[in-house]
Amino acid sequence: MAKKVALLIVGGGPIGLACALAAQQQGLDYVVIEKGCLVNSLYRYPVNMTFFSTSERLEIGGIPFVSNNAKPTRPEALEYYRRVAVSKHVNIQLFEKAETIKPAQEGYTVITDKAVYEASNIVIATGFYDIPNLLRIPGEDLPKVTHYYKDPHFYATRKVIVVGANNSSVDAALETYRKGADVTMVIREGEIGKRVKYWVKPDIENRIKESSIKAYFHSSLVGIREQEADILTPEGIITIPNDFVIAATGYQPDFHFLENTGIQLSADGAREPVYNEDTMETNMPGIYLAGVVCGGMNTHVWFIENSREHADKIIRHIAAKTK
């Protein structure tokens, strides 16, 4: 038998939790469905990651976030959001994946891998960290290749290729280098990314300049084998010894899930979902978007700090409808 709720929130990250807290304040009956652990995307971040945002910009529900430094670390963020969820008794179902959303007589039917729900309104706050942008080259499926860098110790003394030149790539290159890895960066552009954290950018540029970290600019990885890899450089293809590849090529939202739900996407390469900026409601009445999923392939547009306001917009609109 289907469980009936006024609001079902898909995604238990910071913005999904912000929507839940706003729903609580309005007295709305809600449930959060999260396919992994609490704030699953943050849990999968590199263990030593430091946020670009300061702690107060990561706060949700008006609950203070106190960290040891101005810019909090991944463990501090995990602890903060866990304490928020537990202390506010957020109604969240973890390790439950939303599979389909279909129109029903009164709202929508949401089928998960564990239950069926009838919801008058739905918020999709699924982020973009689940589907990596693939290189689509021979050898990408080898066990030595990862799109999710976690801990630098694993790569100690190994020959590591890091693909990319933005924050994730730079962090992986610097951290593995400092654990004794022989690091080579493969960078499609001609320089380190302009959005790299300002306190890290000089570090990576100096390590490259002194050749502690090798870097091939205007280049791309074109082939991977068990003990070596091929790099297409402006001078032609070179082959270097290699033990591991960290392909920090970015991620994308689950466009298949959005399209199957009936949400329209822009026809250009950004594939930005259609929604009302004032209410965050999509072309499907009663279905809302919140957080970084709103940007489509433009995953650098929305962050926790500038999408927290989505929660208030959405819940305000839903509450007005139910009065």
Side-chain angles (χ1 to χ4, degrees):
M1 185 175 178
K3 304 174 184 179
K4 293 188 177 183
V5 291
L7 171 63
L8 186 140
I9 301 166
V10 183
I15 305 305
L17 293 179
C19 291
L21 296 178
Q24 280 185 356
Q25 292 174 353
Q26 289 291 336
L28 290 175
D29 177 33
Y30 75 92
V31 63
V32 181
I33 303 299
E34 166 55 55
K35 71 179 182 314
C37 66
L38 187 68
V39 290
N40 191 61
S41 294
L42 268 62
Y43 175 75
R44 296 175 71 179
Y45 283 176
V47 292
N48 297 324
M49 196 202 82
T50 298
F51 283 83
F52 193 94
S53 304
T54 53
S55 57
E56 71 272 9
R57 292 183 175 274
L58 300 177
E59 294 173 357
I60 58 174
I63 302 168
F65 181 177
V66 179
S67 62
N68 293 326
N69 302 293
K71 298 181 185 300
T73 62
R74 168 187 170 273
E76 288 177 322
L78 291 177
E79 180 67 7
Y80 169 73
Y81 293 117
R82 182 188 67 80
R83 284 180 175 269
V84 168
V86 172
S87 65
K88 293 298 182 180
H89 305 286
V90 172
N91 183 19
I92 184 168
Q93 301 297 316
L94 299 174
F95 303 101
E96 181 172 348
K97 182 179 180 181
E99 296 181 334
T100 60
I101 299 174
K102 299 294 183 184
Q105 193 168 14
E106 296 182 6
Y108 295 90
T109 298
V110 182
I111 301 174
T112 75
D113 57 359
K114 294 182 178 178
V116 178
Y117 299 83
E118 297 289 345
S120 303
N121 300 278
I122 295 171
V123 175
I124 298 176
T126 48
F128 66 92
Y129 203 58
D130 296 317
I131 303 175
N133 297 323
L134 299 179
L135 296 167
R136 304 192 185 283
I137 61 174
E140 187 174 12
D141 58 346
L142 289 171
K144 63 185 270 187
V145 181
T146 183
H147 290 272
Y148 293 94
Y149 164 71
K150 191 77 173 178
D151 182 6
H153 174 81
F154 180 81
Y155 301 97
T157 77
R158 299 291 84 191
K159 296 183 184 300
V160 178
I161 288 176
V162 178
V163 180
N166 290 313
N167 279 300
S168 297
S169 312
V170 168
D171 285 347
L174 287 170
E175 290 182 7
T176 54
Y177 155 69
R178 293 202 162 96
K179 294 299 182 182
D182 179 359
V183 179
T184 299
M185 298 185 74
V186 180
I187 300 168
R188 189 177 298 274
E189 297 79 18
E191 61 183 358
I192 294 297
K194 290 182 172 57
R195 293 193 298 271
V196 169
K197 290 171 281 195
Y198 65 84
W199 65 91
V200 175
K201 197 167 186 284
D203 190 1
I204 188 65
E205 289 175 337
N206 287 330
R207 302 295 75 74
I208 292 172
K209 185 176 180 180
E210 70 186 17
S211 299
S212 297
I213 293 175
K214 295 179 288 294
Y216 291 95
F217 293 96
H218 298 296
S219 301
S220 57
L221 194 62
V222 293
I224 306 168
R225 292 177 294 282
E226 288 289 350
Q227 297 181 340
E228 58 189 14
D230 299 327
I231 304 170
L232 177 61
T233 73
E235 288 73 40
I237 292 179
I238 64 168
T239 299
I240 65 171
N242 171 254
D243 298 308
F244 293 102
V245 173
I246 301 171
T249 49
Y251 310 93
Q252 58 182 274
D254 189 343
F255 293 117
H256 181 71
F257 179 74
L258 295 177
E259 289 179 312
N260 278 356
T261 301
I263 297 171
Q264 295 176 3
L265 306 177
S266 64
D268 57 16
R271 305 197 73 193
E272 187 176 359
V274 172
Y275 62 92
N276 183 319
E277 293 183 3
D278 294 326
T279 65
M280 308 307 296
E281 189 174 29
T282 68
N283 58 286
M284 300 293 289
I287 298 184
Y288 302 79
L289 297 179
V292 295
V293 70
C294 298
M297 288 298 293
N298 293 323
T299 55
H300 62 280
V301 173
W302 294 106
F303 306 94
I304 297 171
E305 67 173 73
N306 67 351
S307 61
R308 296 175 300 174
E309 64 184 36
H310 294 172
D312 290 333
K313 288 182 177 182
I314 292 167
I315 301 305
R316 191 183 307 122
H317 190 249
I318 292 174
K321 293 191 301 182
T322 57
K323 287 182 179 178

